[in-house]
Every structure is written in C-alpha cells, then in structure tokens.
Amino acid sequence: MTVRDALNSALDEEMSADPKVFLMGEEVGEYQGAYKISKGLLEKYGPDRVLDTPITEAGFAGIGVGAAYYGLRPIVEFMTFNFSMQAIDHIINSAAKSNYMSAGQINVPIVFRGPNGAAAGVGAQHSQCYAAWFGACPGLKVLAPYSSEDARGLLKAAIRDPDPVVFLENELLYGESFPISAEALDSSFCLPIGKAKIEREGKDVTITAFSKMVGYALKASEILAKEGISAEVINLRSIRPLDTATINASVRKTNRLVTVEEGFPQHGVGAEICASVIEESFIYLDAPVERIAGADVPMPYAANLERMAVPQHSSFELGFCVVVPTKPNQC
Amino acid sequence: MAIWLRRSRSLAHYLKAEIGFWKVPNQRSFLNPCFFNPENSSSTTLTGENYGNPASFLGNSPTLFGSRRFESIKSGREELDLEYENSGHQNQAMDFPGGRISFTSEMKFISESPRERIPCYRVLDYDGLPIMHSSFVEVSKEEALKMFSSMVTLETMDTILYEAQRQGRISFYLTSIGEEAINIATAAALTPHDVVLPQYREPGVLLWRGFTLQEFSNQCFGNKADYGKGRQMPIHYGSNKHNYFTVSSTIATQIPQAVGAAYSLKMDKKDACVVTYFGDGGTSEGDFHAGLNFAAVMEAPVVYICRNNGWAISTPVSQQFRSDGVVVKGKAYGIQSIRVDGNDALAVYSATRAAREMAITEQKPILIEMLTYRVGHHSTSDDSTKYRPVDEIEHWKTARNPISRFRKWVDKNGWWSDKDESELRVNVRKQLLQAIQVAEKAEKPPISNLFTDVYESLPSNLCEQEELLRESIKRHPQDYPSDVPV
C-alpha cells in the first residue's frame, strides 16, 4: 500500500466513524487534494465535511481552531508546512495553549497535517523541516510517519486524540509503497502516540531517524552490516512526546548513537536526543554522539546543490566513521 | 483636443482647491481622531496641538500630499452616487468569472473616501429622550433596570479593581470605562445560547450572564477558586457554562475562530449565533480580513461587533486606517453592516437584536461598528495623558457618558430615583470590596496545577518534572513561598 493510499484510507475511515470529523484546506475538495491525499472524499462526504478554502492559512487555521473549540474535530491541511508559518500564531498561541490557559474548559482536538521537509527541486520556501519548531512547543503533539502502517496508525490516532496534533508527512514518501499487515488494514487500527518503533535490531550503534530518513538509515545499516557492524534503527514516529525511554534503552545496549534528520542542525531534533542521552545514559556512551542533519543553509534549487544540502548516503558513512572507529583506515 | 483642455483646466482648479484643503486643519477631516464628533466644534486644541496627530503632521507639507492625491479627490468631488454618464453603454455587459458586469467607456476611479461618512444609528439624544421617528426595540422596565444596574456595576468593578492594581494587590487590570453601553446592551440583546468570543474589553457580557463579582475577583487574584487555575493574568476570564470563551491576549485571533465555532453551530442547526468583539486596532490584523472574508463565503452566522473607541493604545484611528471607519469594510467582504452610536444603550440593544435575527434566520455574518470612546487608559501599563489631551478624556467621561445618558431615559420613565442610585452604588461597592478581600485572602492554586491541562492527560515527562519539583521543595522549604499550597 502506498503512503498516499494509507493516508486516504485513514481519513476516510475516521470521517465515516465520527460525523464531527471534517477536512479543510486549499484544493482538498474539487481538486482531490494538492497531492491527491483526499481523493474521493468530497464525493463521498459532501461539501459540508470537505471544505475548499480561500488562500488564507491564518484564516482556515483560525477557523479550524474555532470549530475545535466548539466541538468539531477538524483536520486542517497545509499544502506544505512551509505555509503553516502564516498560521503559526493560531497553531501555537491558540491551539497549543488554549487547554492550559482555559484550565481545561477549552480543548482543541484538531489535526494540522501536510507535507513537511524537502521535496525535489522546490527551493528554500518549500523545503524546510518544521519538526524541531513544533516539537519545542508544550501543548502540541507532533508526529512524523514513515511507512504506510505508520501513516495509517498515526493519522487515526491523531484524529482521535483530544489534543492538537501536528502531523508531518513527506511528499516524496507519498508514492512509496510498503508492505502492510492485515491488522493495520483494519478500521480500528491505531498506533500509540509517543512510542518509537525499532525498525531493525542491532547491537553496535543506534541510529535514530524519522520520516524519509528512516529509509536512508535502513539502507545505511545494510551497508554497515556488510562491514560487520550491526546497527539498530529507531523510527521515532513521534517527535513530541519523544520516546526517550526507547532511545536510551537502545543506547545503553549499543553504547553509540547517531541521530539523523533532514532539517537544520542547530536546535534540531537530534540536538534534543543528544541532550536526553547525555543526561540519562552518559556513562554508557563509548563515543560522542554524532548528528547527521541538513546543511545549515536555506535549501538551494539547483539539483546538484540540493543534493549537497540534505543527508546523502555518503554523509552516513562519515557519521559512522566518527562513531564507530573499528576500522579507522576506512575514513 | 477641446475635451483635453477642458479637463486640464478643471484639474488646475481642483489643484488649487486641494492645496487649500490640506493647509487648513479641518474639523471634519478624518485625520482628526475625534472626527466622528461633529458637535465638538470648540476643540481646536484637538487638531492644533501636537500629540502626534497626523493633521498637524500633514499641515507641514500640504503640497506633497496635495499633488499626490488630487486626481482621486477630483473623482470624489465629481462623483454622484457612482452614476456613469455614458448611458448608451448601460445595457451592455460582459461575462467574467464571478458574474456579469456592465461596462463603461469612461475611466473613473472609485473615490477612496465618501463625500459624507456613513451615518450612525442612534435612538436617544443626550437628554435621554428618544429622537423623533427613531425605530428601536422596546425594552421593558425590568430589562432596562437590569441593564442600568449592570452598567453601574461594571463601572464600579472597573474603578475598584483598577485601584487594587495601583495598590499592588493585583498585577494588571484593564477597564471598559466609557464602553459600558456596548458591554451590557449587546449582552442583553443576546440569548444565553449565543456563543461569545471576546477580545478583552467585554467583561460586561460575562457580568450580564451571571458571572459574580467574586468570580471576577478570583480570576484577578489568581487564587484556588479561579476557573482559570491561576494560569492567566487578570481580566482573562472564561466560562464554559456562560458560553463565554476564555480571553486570549492575541489580537483578532477570535475573528476567524468565531467562524469556525459558527460553522459548528450551523452543522448542529442551533437557534443561536456566535458573537465576537474586537476594537478598531484589531481590524488591522490579517485575521480580520481572513475571518470576515471566510464568514461571508461560508455563510456563517456570526455577529461581528467592532468597538471603535478611537484608540489602540496610543494609535488613534487616523493612523490605524484611512477608510471611513470599519463599517465600510463590511461591504468589501459582502457583509451587511451598520454603524451605531455605541454610547446609546437603546441603539446598541436594537441593532444587536436585529443583527442576531438576521445572522440566524439568514445564516450569514453581520458587522456592527459601534462608535465610542475609550475613557480609561489602555490598561494599567498605560498612561494615556501622554498622547491625548486630558480635556478630551474628561469630555467623554462626563458629557458623553453612556451610563448617565441611559439614566436620563430610565428616570424620565419614572423607573429610577436618586435614592435608588445611591443605594445601588453603595451596595455594589460593598459587595465588591468584600469579594476582593475574600479573593485576596484565599489560597493560591496547588502546585499540581502547574502541570495539568497541557494535554488532556498528564504525560510521563510532566509527571517526572512534578516529582522533581516536589523533592526540591522538600529539600529547600525556606525558599518556597508559604502561601502556595504544595
């Protein structure tokens, strides 16, 4: 099942199960979704539940928050999270903080979803990863699926969750197909929020990653396996709350850590993971933690430059050389 | 050729007139922050003095603005109800996305300002007498007395809690002095099922709905009984049971949120609407544009009430927008709008009732611009005498006071007396002082309230942090405030 179909089926099932769930965003209706994630939904549920909005992120995010205040369960789609910047006040100051500020009187069961991070050849204003920005904010839950199972289970969990959830998809993963179990295809399937998944067990080094980078990490671990290094790959799934328990348990087993993300390095997700591991598992570390991240520049457009600005397989090798110096002549 | 000469001569004529126009500070100029106050003819101080008033600023360089603006002013002067002279083309029209438009071969720009400003709906004159032929919704004696005493209560609460801040007993306060008619009369015109999303200068709506002086005080003191659990600064009231959403400091965010809430009401087919308030300053936010635009497109039953009180902290309306106030903006979004004298309780009541009816039966948004004056400072963090004349404030506090105006009407109906007045004021004052004493002495919220409600259920990391905090308190009890329960 492709990630696109996984998301579509999750939306369909949740909208069918709860009449209060509705979808809102630019092009989600007649156009079937800018990336076709909401295909067929307008036809099935009608214009009352699938709303095409004018071009105003601040407007429809605000409307979504207001609808959530008064009992509906909106799913607000941003064409890319880069555009969520225009609505960030509603996401942070209204959605994230209202339950706290109102002392539980106003809860906001809203989901903000859309593609996040780099795509291919879309330049600086369409390529930033916002996981770290939203992950810093108490009151929000932030999820980043990788596989189709992740996409289905996490989106269903997000829609059912009473708290505001930022759901970070990835445009390049939409078309990718993953095997999916019968359990995951069931309409009651749901993944827990705040639990990471160990995609590949290992004993020599822990690699944490989320979204598209999980695929890269798995590929890198195959290469490492040929060198005799067994890597444990953790698919974070949840940026906030971060499953520090799973990460620390893994590091205590392998004694080495490499964090991977596509976003900017400073104040990134990797930085938070490093801090957590150093606070809780310092004596278990045999080597300093290594962060692999995107280049600290706005994303360039030219294909060759763009390639250099995001982690490539070669960056993994460099990362591992630092962390796993078993074969120094390789670096 | 001849036509061209004729036009240029008239251009030159207008140019001379325009330069003259800009040189003389004009009472009616909308550069004057009090320009919706035509009676105030003796206030040369308002334009002459330098309070950062744009009229005085522009007075120094008339030609600059004169030459830039003459073309559109010319069109404004010539324009008569937007009628075009080329009647021969009137029946011809063109299809465009959005509908059929008839065309004209005369190039005419719509004026940026009307010759006359949109008039303001008003029922009572300054003597409390209904103006002849005014249409308004009748108010019973009981309703009128409830409105009047609520206005007095609001004014008293504001005065005393403001003082409490000045005495250092609460950290912050914000008054609605001068806007009591808007606060109470709009609330009176609504039903308890109508959902209210306030800005922050509308505690009167909550007061009308039954929030007690004790409940107000508890929030200001942030004690254990505060419904907000001590999370927010004073005046950020909120109460689900009164259908009044918790005040949020960010300006104008409630405007699109109101549309969302109205959408929810619409889906439920409730006989209720959403009412949201904002000031003149709030209309500059992007959210105002997005919210109104969307409300019209979605046909949401929202009543938008703009309290145009002339000031956004120190920014006068002349620096906030160049339109004829806020009422004209409604039309731009396809929203029916009205301008009301916000200091006339009966006008406010009638207009709000009518707007509510329309919003619910016709399922569409309505915009009401209520003209008033912010008599108090923006908040306790502001001293407005620094940017506006004291006599201007005094004038609005006394001669234009909405409470005394309504009092005159109530008196004339034989429903109130001086004795009733002094009894009411003494009573309210006593109740309030008592409530403040109780609120001040009450315990603060317990430490567990620091961590709850971030999410629906307490996450493990916050549990841990709470544990760590408690341990820390046990180890260093002398550093921990004694009046905060653990």
Side-chain angles (χ1 to χ4, degrees):
Chain A
M1 185 180 236
T2 60
V3 171
R4 176 179 286 114
D5 288 340
L7 293 168
N8 183 275
S9 62
L11 288 172
D12 194 353
E13 284 162 24
E14 294 305 305
M15 284 178 78
S16 164
D18 185 351
K20 291 205 173 300
V21 175
F22 73 101
L23 177 65
M24 179 161 66
E26 290 155 8
E27 311 301 328
V28 296
E30 297 283 352
Y31 196 74
Q32 310 295 313
Y35 297 100
K36 306 292 180 260
I37 306 297
S38 52
K39 188 162 170 203
L41 295 179
L42 173 63
E43 201 177 32
K44 188 167 177 186
Y45 296 101
D48 278 350
R49 300 203 39 215
V50 179
L51 274 70
D52 275 324
T53 64
I55 306 177
T56 163
E57 279 73 14
F60 61 74
I63 288 175
V65 170
Y69 280 176
Y70 204 70
L72 292 180
R73 302 188 81 96
I75 303 167
V76 174
E77 176 175 309
F78 292 115
M79 206 178 274
T80 135
F81 267 94
N82 290 266
F83 304 160
S84 74
M85 295 295 98
Q86 301 192 284
I88 201 158
D89 179 78
H90 280 292
I91 301 173
I92 308 287
N93 277 329
S94 295
K97 298 177 185 174
S98 280
N99 199 44
Y100 190 74
M101 291 195 319
S102 71
Q105 292 190 87
I106 303 174
N107 78 315
V108 194
I110 194 170
V111 176
F112 296 103
R113 51 159 289 272
N116 174 59
V122 287
Q125 296 172 331
H126 289 68
S127 309
Q128 188 167 337
C129 173
Y130 288 89
W133 285 34
F134 290 117
C137 188
L140 289 179
K141 289 183 176 159
V142 183
L143 302 175
Y146 163 61
S147 63
S148 301
E149 182 177 312
D150 285 357
R152 262 184 68 80
L154 292 177
L155 185 54
K156 283 154 95 56
I159 295 169
R160 295 179 199 175
D161 199 284
D163 295 313
V165 181
V166 170
F167 194 81
L168 305 170
E169 300 160 6
N170 185 294
E171 191 197 321
L172 297 177
L173 283 177
Y174 285 151
E176 227 176 280
S177 199
F178 293 86
I180 193 153
S181 65
E183 187 205 347
L185 286 169
D186 187 68
S187 63
S188 61
F189 177 65
C190 206
L191 284 173
I193 292 178
K195 289 262 355 127
K197 180 184 180 196
I198 297 178
E199 295 279 352
R200 184 188 193 282
E201 282 195 24
K203 54 182 181 55
D204 295 327
V205 61
T206 300
I207 310 174
T208 64
F210 62 94
S211 190
K212 193 155 121 261
M213 290 288 116
V214 175
Y216 277 59
L218 287 170
K219 251 225 156 69
S221 59
E222 279 165 34
I223 299 171
L224 285 171
K226 293 200 190 88
E227 314 265 328
I229 299 170
S230 144
E232 178 148 294
V233 176
I234 300 181
N235 172 2
L236 293 175
R237 282 183 167 174
S238 182
I239 306 292
R240 176 181 264 270
L242 198 56
D243 191 357
T244 49
T246 302
I247 298 167
N248 277 285
S250 173
V251 171
R252 288 175 187 208
K253 187 174 74 171
T254 64
N255 311 122
R256 289 163 202 276
L257 174 65
V258 176
T259 69
V260 185
E261 65 200 293
E262 235 181 3
F264 302 133
Q266 189 169 342
H267 307 301
V269 175
E272 176 62 29
I273 295 175
C274 283
S276 164
V277 164
I278 288 169
E279 280 165 6
E280 297 186 30
S281 313
F282 182 65
I283 48 172
Y284 292 85
L285 285 169
D286 284 348
V289 179
E290 184 70 15
R291 288 182 292 171
I292 295 176
D296 203 17
V297 301
M299 183 69 73
Y301 165 75
N304 60 326
L305 294 178
E306 186 182 32
R307 257 198 305 277
M308 294 294 103
V310 284
Q312 302 295 319
H313 294 294
S314 49
S315 357
F316 280 73
E317 284 159 27
L318 280 167
F320 294 128
C321 277
V322 177
V323 176
V324 193
T326 48
K327 310 217 169 137
N329 54 320
Q330 297 265 330
C331 302
Chain B
M1 194 64 176
I3 297 166
W4 180 243
L5 277 171
R6 188 198 79 207
R7 283 202 172 150
S8 59
R9 227 180 287 134
S10 50
L11 274 175
H13 166 73
Y14 276 104
L15 191 52
K16 282 202 198 112
E18 264 35 83
I19 293 171
F21 174 78
W22 290 115
K23 258 203 184 122
V24 176
N26 186 345
Q27 293 295 340
R28 302 236 169 203
S29 158
F30 51 85
L31 301 167
N32 176 338
C34 288
F35 75 117
F36 48 79
N37 167 18
E39 279 92 352
N40 195 359
S41 52
S42 60
S43 55
T44 42
T45 49
L46 295 171
T47 49
E49 303 206 35
N50 185 12
Y51 280 91
N53 180 326
S56 52
F57 161 71
L58 278 172
N60 294 328
S61 54
T63 44
L64 171 67
F65 288 89
S67 53
R68 259 217 310 215
R69 290 171 150 241
F70 78 88
E71 188 63 55
S72 53
I73 287 167
K74 168 175 101 88
S75 71
R77 296 280 163 107
E78 281 183 341
E79 166 201 319
L80 288 162
D81 293 334
L82 285 173
E83 257 180 42
Y84 290 90
E85 280 135 43
N86 297 313
S87 50
H89 294 281
Q90 259 167 12
N91 295 330
Q92 292 177 47
M94 298 185 288
D95 276 310
F96 274 112
R100 227 167 145 66
I101 309 273
S102 57
F103 63 83
T104 168
S105 54
E106 204 173 325
M107 178 171 66
K108 217 161 213 167
F109 286 76
I110 300 174
S111 170
E112 83 279 18
S113 63
R115 210 144 19 128
E116 268 184 45
R117 301 194 56 205
I118 304 282
C120 165
Y121 168 63
R122 189 201 210 195
V123 172
L124 296 176
D125 64 18
Y126 293 129
D127 292 321
L129 288 166
I131 297 169
M132 280 255 281
H133 311 302
S134 63
S135 58
F136 63 98
V137 178
E138 292 288 343
V139 172
S140 68
K141 173 181 175 186
E142 201 191 324
E143 190 88 341
L145 289 181
K146 185 176 178 203
M147 278 168 65
F148 181 73
S149 46
S150 301
M151 284 164 76
V152 170
T153 306
L154 176 59
E155 187 192 41
T156 311
M157 179 176 92
D158 273 350
T159 311
I160 294 180
L161 282 171
Y162 185 89
E163 276 310 303
Q165 193 277 346
R166 281 290 175 251
Q167 292 164 15
R169 295 157 81 185
I170 52 176
S171 62
F172 175 84
Y173 195 72
L174 181 287
T175 66
S176 312
I177 309 269
E179 300 180 48
E180 292 88 355
I182 295 178
N183 265 259
I184 301 299
T186 55
L190 303 171
T191 72
H193 304 294
D194 298 318
V195 180
V196 174
L197 276 83
Q199 176 69 73
Y200 46 57
R201 218 180 286 278
E202 304 91 14
V205 179
L206 200 49
L207 180 69
W208 176 270
R209 288 184 168 190
F211 211 60
T212 64
L213 295 175
Q214 189 63 65
E215 286 167 321
F216 278 113
S217 308
N218 289 338
Q219 198 282 330
C220 286
F221 282 89
N223 62 30
K224 198 167 63 171
D226 169 25
Y227 296 151
K229 296 182 190 164
R231 304 261 173 74
Q232 293 222 66
M233 52 198 277
I235 70 96
H236 287 64
Y237 316 110
S239 173
N240 268 7
K241 69 175 192 253
H242 297 101
N243 252 332
Y244 187 94
F245 275 81
T246 306
V247 173
S248 155
S249 310
T250 45
I251 301 286
T253 52
Q254 70 279 12
I255 299 178
Q257 286 166 8
V259 183
Y263 191 72
S264 181
L265 275 181
K266 215 167 126 104
M267 276 175 102
D268 287 345
K269 294 188 173 45
K270 281 213 171 111
D271 176 24
C273 66
V274 176
V275 180
T276 187
Y277 298 79
F278 45 91
D280 39 284
T283 66
S284 293
E285 282 279 0
D287 274 346
F288 170 81
H289 162 77
L292 261 70
N293 188 42
F294 237 124
V297 170
M298 286 172 87
E299 294 167 5
V302 186
V303 176
Y304 285 113
I305 298 180
C306 174
R307 293 176 295 95
N308 183 342
N309 61 22
W311 296 92
I313 309 190
S314 68
T315 307
V317 285
S318 52
Q319 283 176 22
Q320 195 69 249
F321 36 67
R322 284 295 155 90
S323 53
D324 172 16
V326 176
V327 66
V328 292
K329 298 187 194 209
K331 189 168 187 172
Y333 296 111
I335 294 178
Q336 247 178 303
S337 6
I338 188 171
R339 168 173 278 162
V340 178
D341 178 351
N343 286 2
D344 177 347
L346 288 185
V348 170
Y349 180 84
S350 303
T352 310
R353 275 286 286 269
R356 182 186 177 272
E357 281 305 310
M358 276 194 279
I360 296 175
T361 52
E362 296 172 57
Q363 292 288 295
K364 65 183 190 192
I366 308 285
L367 172 65
I368 309 179
E369 179 186 20
M370 306 225 173
L371 299 181
T372 180
Y373 188 85
R374 192 198 78 210
V375 170
H377 306 302
H378 165 71
S379 71
T380 48
S381 313
D382 175 47
D383 174 9
S384 62
T385 58
K386 288 202 156 62
Y387 51 80
R388 55 184 189 175
V390 176
D391 47 320
E392 178 184 304
I393 305 172
E394 263 314 296
H395 174 77
W396 284 89
K397 190 171 182 173
T398 51
R400 305 293 294 270
N401 187 314
I403 301 179
S404 34
R405 190 155 150 207
F406 193 52
R407 162 96 203 264
K408 286 178 188 155
W409 182 74
V410 167
D411 272 357
K412 285 193 169 67
N413 282 333
W415 295 340
W416 198 248
S417 67
D418 282 338
K419 183 163 161 290
D420 291 324
E421 177 87 3
S422 53
E423 260 177 38
L424 171 68
R425 288 188 182 267
V426 162
N427 258 333
V428 171
R429 199 184 149 79
K430 207 167 80 171
Q431 271 180 54
L432 193 50
L433 291 174
Q434 166 83 336
I436 290 175
Q437 266 207 354
V438 170
E440 197 167 25
K441 291 208 180 82
E443 262 192 344
K444 296 296 183 205
I447 207 85
S448 54
N449 276 358
L450 183 60
F451 301 101
T452 51
D453 302 318
V454 181
Y455 297 102
E456 178 97 339
S457 40
L458 200 62
S460 56
N461 66 321
L462 289 182
C463 270
E464 270 175 47
Q465 289 182 27
E466 191 178 341
E467 276 309 304
L468 286 171
L469 180 59
R470 285 180 193 281
E471 274 170 39
S472 186
I473 294 169
K474 274 205 197 94
R475 266 182 277 131
H476 309 280
Q478 71 281 5
D479 293 331
Y480 189 73
S482 54
D483 62 344
V484 184
V486 179

